Amino acid sequence: MNLRLFIVAGLLMHCVFLASIFDIYFTSPLVHGMTPHYNPLPPPAKRLVLFVADGLRADSLYEIEEDGSPRAPYLRNVIEEKGCWGISHTRVPTESRPGHVALIAGFYEDVSAVAKGWKENPVEFDSVFNESKYTWSWGSPDILPMFAKGASGDHVYTYCYTAEKEDFGAEDATVLDTWVFDSVKNFFYAARSNQTMFSKVNEEKVILFLHLLGIDTNGHAHRPNSREYKDNIRKVDDGIKEIVSLLEDFYGNDGKTAFIVTSDHGMTDWGSHGAGHPSETLTPLIAWGAGLNYPQSVTSQAFEDNFLKEWKLENRKRVDVNQADIAPLMASLIGVPFPLNSVGILPLEYLNNSVHFKAESMFTNAVQILEQFTVKMAQKRESTLSFLFTPFKLLSDSEQTDVLRKARSYIQQGKYNDAISLCKTLIILALEGLSYYHTYDRLFLGISIAMGFVGWTSYVILLIIKTHTNLMRTVQNNKASSVFAYGFSAVGIFIAFFLLIQACPWTYYIYCLLPVPVWYAVVREFPVIQDLIKLLLTFPLHQSIGFLFICALGIEILITAVSWTLLCWLLAMFPLMPVVGREPNISLVTAAGLLILLISISSLPSLWKSKNKNVHRKDLAILLFQMLSIALSTYVVNTTHSSLQHKQGLPVINQIVSWTILASSLVVPLLSPTFLFQRLLSILLSLMSTYLLLSTGYEALFPLVLSGLMFAWINMEQEALQYYGLSLKPKLAILNFSYSTDITQFRQLHLDDTRRSFFFVFFIVTAFFGTGNIASVNSFDPASVYCFLTVFSPFMMGGLLMLKVIIPFVLVSCAFEAVQVTTQLSSKSLFLIVLVISDIMALHFFFLVKDYGSWLDIGTSISHFVLVMSFTIFMMLLNGLAQLLTTKRIELWGVTKYHAT
């Protein structure tokens, strides 16, 4: 197979492997085709008002101030005098979109929504808003439109401020909430004089939704323990009080309005969210008004935490719920059908109604969830051959009918509590069945992908042996190859027919057919396999097993974090430092800037000694420009941080300078000489100028330490050349990247080259986990991008943070290019070894991917798999970028010949 075809095949293979986890582990759980179900009894409320204080932690709302006064006096009075309260337990990812989907639609968002920036609907879903007669909503343009787009008809109205108002550097983020409260007031003032609007707002089944983003914005900008965050809570409390008073007056105190106050997610002490820390998953829930329970006095409550004592609420009954349970609660209060995709269980303790009403509501809840189960089961049965289909045994068709008939009979006989208990059991079984059918094909697809992995890795190993070693090869038998071709073609046809009769998705064809040509390519190399076996048989058995064991152990060592401290003490301090929960330390960023300037100054004497004065002036000008960029980056970081601290926003000149430095960072190195250390220094200076702008603390020092280790690695590998009989080692000072493509100087692989590939993989892993981890969206502080922008933009901010992750990768890749030059190795040979290592690791991590647990657990398992898969998908791109940065030069002053000194 020629190199170009091999690269294309490798890219396609690994793109399929990478995409497979999202088709196997993270497909949407939603099904369609259900019919609406609602409680036949009249509802207690005509309208419902939902306040969602974005980013509000439960403890921040409920805790008492140091002087003994409540932080939110009005809501505290509601808890003690008017309504019921508790904690809403959110699920990860603790982000705004999935939190609101759980609250309003009743199901937990799947990971595919990340690709939409949590803004658009990756799949269509039903919601309480869609089932309402009318819904009016006020708030953020990031949240409200998705529920209007998902609604049938035009009965969901949205009023949003502009996206530019969501500025983390704004002087006062409470204006976002003030805008919402003022807009609601103006709306109802206008409704008094508008007969059409007046009649609409007086209809039944009406929802008013107020999305309050100020608390979240202040939390990101100033942290939840700041005065700004706490003051925002007080303003929201005052605003809710005013809106409640306005609505009661507007509706003439008719007692038909239900109020719910909650949050989509909490926030860590360091101002981020997305993971599963209790500060992120514990949100407040306060409900009062029509159909909702009054406060219940208790003497003791069984909770493992000490919150009740801390909040001085021991005597008021606390009722905790899961976040998705709030959707059926709202539907029950105003008498609309439960959202079709909801998996929430109605929290009966919040309802103030008859036991009959509760039983009917619970029955409706059970039927609604059970119908999702039956649709899911029918879909899976239709797409599976009858003799292969294995149904969910705990809930057969007959048992479903019997339980529903029995529950209805209990209700008719007045045995409401028995009906409620039976419906809860049915709901739990139906949810388990939904999970069972959702993961039905996981084992089958997993085996197919594993076979592809093993086949591809085997082929690459054979290719290394065939093309980069001195192993003798047996002559290829063309007749046997033809037999193999017919045999594998027959297998492929059989698999395709098997998938066709089951009406499988097109992606299943890719996953199941991919191993066929891969294993055919392996079998075609049967002569190489024979020669390899003959060679292995010449070694003692214990020696061969020992070598394989050491190789496997080496790969597994790369998987564990403990190996960082054991194998690379120079970088051990960075992976062991706290990734989250740290305050910005601009002094360390400044120190990193000064240190890189000192390194730049130390390189000036080498330019002064140059005999070519024309070249000397060019190189000196480039170096001085890069030093200026470093100085400007250090200055911009300091002044931006100071400006934001004083609530003066991001200075425009700082923003212009930041983007200019970023744009020039990949161009300026191409102006420097291609001598090994001069070009590597130029790359470091350019990338460091951008990295400083994206740093908020100790991580600014990480590229410097990493580059120092890369320098030591290059020297070590150059020293090792003497072991291969190369007595005259070229000086590193005269090595030139532009001469690295001379294939006449390439040598065959040695066993020691495996170590070089191990080192490269190790350094890539260290570069990835050294200062952060995209496994968790709260591993990075949003303050990292404040030199570039402060207005909320998930894709732009995410892109800048991704650039921050990639910069250490580029440094390692450039160092690897230097190692290939110093050791006279073909980049293809080392690449193939890295390919084998990464594929073995990828297969290991493929079976460790999680689709449950905290977002940190899920994200870590995904990032491990994505990281090793990226070795082959992105290493080709990184390798190309590294070759561009190291070997190419842009001549602005004409072509100049270089002479070594």
Side-chain angles (χ1 to χ4, degrees):
M1 181 182 293
N2 61 55
L3 178 60
R4 183 172 297 178
L5 181 59
F6 177 82
I7 291 174
V8 172
L11 278 174
L12 291 175
M13 287 282 297
H14 288 83
C15 285
V16 171
F17 291 155
L18 180 59
S20 67
I21 64 167
F22 297 99
D23 218 9
I24 296 173
Y25 292 98
F26 303 110
T27 53
S28 173
L30 302 187
V31 291
H32 299 87
M34 294 81 67
T35 55
H37 298 276
Y38 57 90
N39 189 337
L41 299 179
K46 292 179 61 178
R47 67 199 70 90
L48 180 136
V49 185
L50 174 63
F51 300 93
V52 177
D54 203 304
L56 177 59
R57 292 161 44 151
D59 59 341
S60 297
L61 179 66
Y62 293 140
E63 67 186 5
I64 300 296
E65 297 282 16
E66 294 180 358
D67 61 2
S69 62
R71 180 163 297 146
Y74 176 74
L75 291 176
R76 183 77 176 199
N77 178 260
V78 169
I79 292 173
E80 295 178 347
E81 305 292 338
K82 296 182 179 179
C84 45
W85 75 285
I87 291 178
S88 170
H89 295 264
T90 72
R91 284 194 189 178
V92 289
T94 46
E95 296 289 341
S96 291
R97 177 197 161 96
H100 281 87
V101 168
L103 285 170
I104 299 167
F107 72 91
Y108 299 103
E109 188 78 283
D110 58 284
V111 180
S112 64
V114 174
K116 299 291 185 179
W118 301 124
K119 290 185 178 182
E120 300 296 331
N121 295 346
V123 290
E124 292 300 322
F125 59 84
D126 191 23
S127 70
V128 178
F129 291 178
N130 185 46
E131 298 293 352
S132 67
K133 183 68 175 293
Y134 294 109
T135 292
W136 286 274
S137 56
W138 297 264
S140 168
D142 296 331
I143 298 299
L144 306 189
M146 68 177 177
F147 292 104
K149 290 180 181 179
S152 57
D154 57 354
H155 63 285
V156 178
Y157 305 101
T158 61
Y159 301 90
C160 306
Y161 41 74
T162 60
E164 288 72 24
K165 289 185 178 291
E166 300 177 12
D167 190 345
F168 294 149
E171 180 178 352
D172 183 12
T174 60
V175 297
L176 299 176
D177 299 337
T178 303
W179 183 95
V180 171
F181 291 131
D182 290 344
S183 297
V184 175
K185 293 174 187 176
N186 294 333
F187 174 82
F188 278 94
Y189 292 150
R192 291 183 183 274
S193 57
N194 186 319
Q195 187 57 43
T196 302
M197 186 64 66
F198 186 83
S199 61
K200 283 186 177 181
V201 296
N202 276 281
E203 292 275 3
E204 296 181 347
K205 301 176 174 49
V206 165
I207 296 177
L208 307 174
F209 171 42
L210 284 71
H211 176 241
L212 308 168
L213 188 63
I215 293 175
D216 182 76
T217 305
N218 269 318
H220 285 305
H222 306 290
R223 310 295 187 263
N225 292 319
S226 65
R227 176 181 56 82
E228 290 83 358
Y229 185 87
K230 295 175 181 178
D231 287 347
N232 205 150
I233 294 176
R234 295 187 187 94
K235 290 191 177 182
V236 165
D237 182 67
D238 292 338
I240 292 175
K241 179 181 179 180
E242 293 175 3
I243 295 300
V244 171
S245 176
L246 169 72
L247 294 176
E248 288 179 344
D249 179 65
F250 184 88
Y251 289 109
N253 293 299
D254 63 354
K256 291 293 184 180
T257 307
F259 299 94
I260 293 179
V261 175
T262 187
S263 175
D264 53 347
H265 56 75
M267 187 171 289
T268 60
D269 289 339
W270 49 95
S272 64
H273 52 81
H277 191 275
S279 62
E280 300 167 87
T281 60
L282 303 183
T283 58
L285 175 60
I286 304 173
W288 74 100
L292 290 159
N293 257 331
Y294 289 99
Q296 300 179 48
S297 298
V298 292
T299 56
S300 64
Q301 302 187 65
F303 288 98
E304 295 181 358
D305 54 61
N306 296 318
F307 293 145
L308 291 171
K309 186 176 181 180
E310 294 174 10
W311 302 337
K312 300 187 185 305
L313 288 169
E314 306 100 310
N315 299 325
R316 287 291 180 264
K317 185 176 181 180
R318 166 182 155 189
V319 181
D320 288 7
V321 302
N322 292 320
Q323 193 173 47
D325 299 342
I326 297 176
L329 173 63
M330 293 190 292
S332 179
L333 288 171
I334 58 175
V336 300
F338 287 24
L340 297 176
N341 307 114
S342 172
V343 294
I345 303 175
L346 179 64
L348 295 178
E349 290 183 275
Y350 274 85
L351 293 179
N352 179 21
N353 215 312
S354 65
V355 185
H356 183 195
F357 181 87
K358 293 180 180 180
E360 287 286 2
S361 296
M362 208 68 206
F363 183 82
T364 303
N365 196 178
V367 171
Q368 170 259 324
I369 292 179
L370 182 63
E371 188 170 8
Q372 294 182 71
F373 167 79
T374 56
V375 170
K376 191 82 171 180
M377 180 178 65
Q379 290 178 352
K380 190 54 59 182
R381 178 179 281 147
E382 290 173 2
S383 62
T384 307
L385 295 176
S386 58
F387 65 91
L388 294 177
F389 180 71
T390 306
F392 182 63
K393 297 180 180 179
L394 297 180
L395 199 57
S396 62
D397 293 343
S398 59
E399 189 169 353
Q400 297 173 39
T401 305
D402 291 342
V403 172
L404 289 177
R405 186 185 297 113
K406 192 173 184 180
R408 174 51 63 191
S409 176
Y410 280 153
I411 293 175
Q412 292 172 348
Q413 297 172 24
K415 299 178 180 179
Y416 302 124
N417 290 326
D418 291 339
I420 290 172
S421 178
L422 192 60
C423 289
K424 286 182 178 179
T425 302
L426 181 58
I427 288 174
I428 292 172
L429 288 175
L431 291 175
E432 290 179 4
L434 274 173
S435 177
Y436 170 80
Y437 287 118
H438 182 60
T439 60
Y440 190 85
D441 292 332
R442 183 169 296 178
L443 178 61
F444 167 65
L445 294 176
I447 292 174
S448 298
I449 294 297
M451 290 183 64
F453 262 120
V454 174
W456 173 257
T457 305
S458 302
Y459 176 73
V460 173
I461 293 173
L462 294 174
L463 192 62
I464 294 172
I465 295 171
K466 182 178 179 180
T467 59
H468 295 282
T469 67
N470 294 321
L471 183 66
M472 297 297 293
R473 295 182 294 275
T474 306
V475 179
Q476 182 82 31
N477 188 331
N478 293 327
K479 185 176 181 180
S481 180
S482 300
V483 173
F484 289 144
Y486 289 126
F488 278 93
S489 298
V491 171
I493 293 172
F494 173 78
I495 293 174
F497 179 74
F498 178 77
L499 297 174
L500 180 64
I501 60 177
Q502 295 192 98
C504 292
W506 64 270
T507 52
Y508 282 36
Y509 289 83
I510 297 177
Y511 302 144
C512 297
L513 290 174
L514 192 60
V516 177
V518 173
W519 278 102
Y520 170 65
V522 171
V523 172
R524 282 193 63 189
E525 302 298 337
F526 185 72
V528 181
I529 299 174
Q530 285 180 310
D531 290 338
L532 178 61
I533 293 174
K534 290 177 183 178
L535 177 64
L536 293 176
L537 290 176
T538 63
F539 295 100
L541 181 61
H542 67 276
Q543 185 176 348
S544 301
I545 295 175
F547 177 76
L548 293 175
F549 174 76
I550 291 173
C551 289
L553 180 62
I555 294 174
E556 290 300 313
I557 284 176
L558 292 174
I559 294 173
T560 62
V562 179
S563 65
W564 299 349
T565 57
L566 298 176
L567 302 177
C568 196
W569 62 270
L570 283 174
L571 287 181
M573 67 179 89
F574 288 97
L576 296 178
M577 283 182 176
V579 175
V580 293
R582 57 183 175 87
E583 292 294 324
N585 190 337
I586 304 302
S587 298
L588 290 177
V589 182
T590 304
L594 294 176
L595 187 58
I596 192 65
L597 282 175
L598 289 175
I599 295 173
S600 306
I601 293 172
S602 67
S603 67
L604 287 174
S606 64
L607 291 178
W608 284 107
K609 295 177 183 178
S610 176
K611 295 179 181 179
N612 189 328
K613 296 303 178 183
N614 187 43
V615 174
H616 152 68
R617 287 193 294 270
K618 296 177 186 177
D619 300 344
L620 182 61
I622 294 168
L623 181 60
L624 290 176
F625 176 81
Q626 291 179 312
M627 293 172 64
L628 176 62
S629 296
I630 293 290
L632 282 174
S633 295
T634 306
Y635 172 78
V636 166
V637 169
N638 279 272
T639 54
T640 299
H641 180 73
S642 175
S643 179
L644 293 177
Q645 273 194 327
H646 292 88
K647 299 183 179 179
Q648 296 174 350
L650 171 61
V652 176
I653 185 64
N654 286 17
Q655 192 174 20
I656 294 173
V657 170
S658 298
W659 284 107
T660 302
I661 291 175
L662 172 61
S664 65
S665 61
L666 293 178
V667 177
V668 175
L670 301 180
L671 302 175
S672 63
T674 55
F675 289 115
L676 191 142
F677 281 121
Q678 282 184 271
R679 178 54 68 92
L680 289 180
L681 176 62
S682 180
I683 292 170
L684 174 63
L685 292 177
S686 286
L687 295 182
M688 270 300 297
S689 62
T690 298
Y691 200 87
L692 288 173
L693 294 171
L694 294 168
S695 299
T696 60
Y698 72 85
E699 78 272 18
L701 297 166
F702 177 71
L704 293 179
V705 179
L706 181 65
S707 298
L709 190 58
M710 295 298 98
F711 176 83
W713 182 32
I714 295 168
N715 275 279
M716 178 189 70
E717 297 296 356
Q718 202 268 349
E719 290 291 332
L721 287 177
Q722 59 184 315
Y723 294 106
Y724 299 113
L726 300 176
S727 56
L728 298 176
K729 298 175 294 181
K731 293 182 179 180
L732 290 177
I734 64 172
L735 285 176
N736 196 313
F737 279 114
S738 62
Y739 303 151
S740 64
T741 56
D742 186 0
I743 61 173
T744 62
Q745 298 181 7
F746 291 161
R747 58 176 175 81
Q748 294 287 354
L749 283 172
H750 293 82
L751 189 60
D752 196 46
D753 294 323
T754 305
R755 173 185 53 76
R756 295 185 175 93
S757 299
F758 268 113
F759 271 35
F760 174 67
V761 175
F762 170 78
F763 288 136
I764 287 289
V765 172
T766 305
F768 184 78
F769 291 101
T771 60
N773 177 11
I774 61 171
S776 174
V777 290
N778 73 359
S779 292
F780 291 103
D781 191 340
S784 298
V785 302
Y786 285 174
C787 289
F788 296 91
L789 75 164
T790 55
V791 176
F792 179 67
S793 175
F795 284 115
M796 185 69 72
M797 289 180 168
L800 289 170
L801 291 175
M802 188 60 67
L803 174 63
K804 184 178 180 180
V805 175
I806 290 175
I807 286 176
F809 284 6
V810 176
L811 293 175
V812 174
S813 297
C814 291
F816 194 50
E817 284 291 316
V819 168
Q820 293 174 24
V821 172
T822 59
T823 57
Q824 301 175 359
L825 273 172
S826 164
S827 59
K828 178 185 175 184
S829 59
L830 284 182
F831 167 73
L832 291 175
I833 298 176
V834 172
L835 192 65
V836 172
I837 295 172
S838 62
D839 281 345
I840 295 174
M841 294 173 66
L843 183 59
H844 177 103
F845 285 126
F846 175 77
F847 291 105
L848 295 180
V849 173
K850 295 181 178 179
D851 61 346
Y852 59 89
S854 74
W855 178 243
L856 184 60
D857 294 335
I858 296 172
T860 299
S861 68
I862 295 174
S863 69
H864 285 167
F865 180 75
V866 170
L867 174 62
V868 292
M869 290 304 299
S870 298
F871 283 159
T872 47
I873 296 176
F874 296 113
M875 198 182 77
M876 296 179 188
L877 302 177
L878 278 175
N879 197 36
L881 177 61
Q883 287 187 356
L884 173 67
L885 289 174
T886 55
T887 63
K888 304 301 180 183
R889 189 178 190 200
I890 300 175
E891 294 285 353
L892 296 182
W893 301 279
V895 179
T896 306
K897 292 185 178 181
Y898 281 94
H899 304 280
T901 59

